[in-house]
Amino acid sequence: MKSKDIIASLTADVERLMKLHDSAMEEVVALREKSGEQSAKIRTLQEQLREAKAEAEKASLRAAIAGSVSNKAAARSHVNRLLREVDKCIEMVSNRI
């Protein structure tokens, strides 16, 4: 192989690699955009899930407080949990004073 042929071959390889690099960089940019969109979608869905769980818990508590015999234990448990939380808050405030 002559040196001109080697240089031409190397030049062609370098150009091909540069095109591949450019293509890969474009793909990276596109994937980063999609990743950002998916992250935003995940955050939105997580917030909706938190809201739905809170609403379901409120509905469960309302049903339990309404006097359903099967839900009295759940209501008592929920009220006790809320009371413990209030006690912790009172203790934290008392310690700061």
Side-chain angles (χ1 to χ4, degrees):
M1 234 181 175
K2 293 184 179 181
S3 62
K4 287 184 180 181
D5 292 338
I6 293 172
I7 291 172
S9 174
L10 289 174
T11 302
D13 287 345
V14 168
E15 288 176 2
R16 182 179 53 81
L17 288 173
M18 288 173 57
K19 286 179 184 177
L20 286 172
H21 177 265
D22 290 341
S23 172
M25 293 308 293
E26 289 172 4
E27 187 176 354
V28 165
V29 168
L31 289 173
R32 283 186 178 156
E33 287 176 5
K34 285 182 183 179
S35 175
E37 292 169 2
Q38 292 300 319
S39 294
K41 191 174 184 179
I42 288 170
R43 282 190 297 275
T44 301
L45 290 172
Q46 286 174 333
E47 181 62 30
Q48 289 176 353
L49 177 63
R50 276 191 291 276
E51 290 172 2
K53 282 183 178 180
E55 189 60 36
E57 187 174 333
K58 288 177 187 176
S60 174
L61 181 59
R62 280 193 295 267
I65 291 175
S68 174
V69 175
S70 63
N71 289 333
K72 281 188 178 182
R76 183 176 290 125
S77 171
H78 190 74
V79 169
N80 286 337
R81 185 173 57 236
L82 291 174
L83 287 173
R84 283 192 299 273
E85 187 175 336
V86 169
D87 286 341
K88 287 179 185 178
C89 292
I90 291 171
E91 182 181 337
M92 288 172 49
V93 169
S94 297
N95 288 336
R96 289 186 180 177
I97 295 177

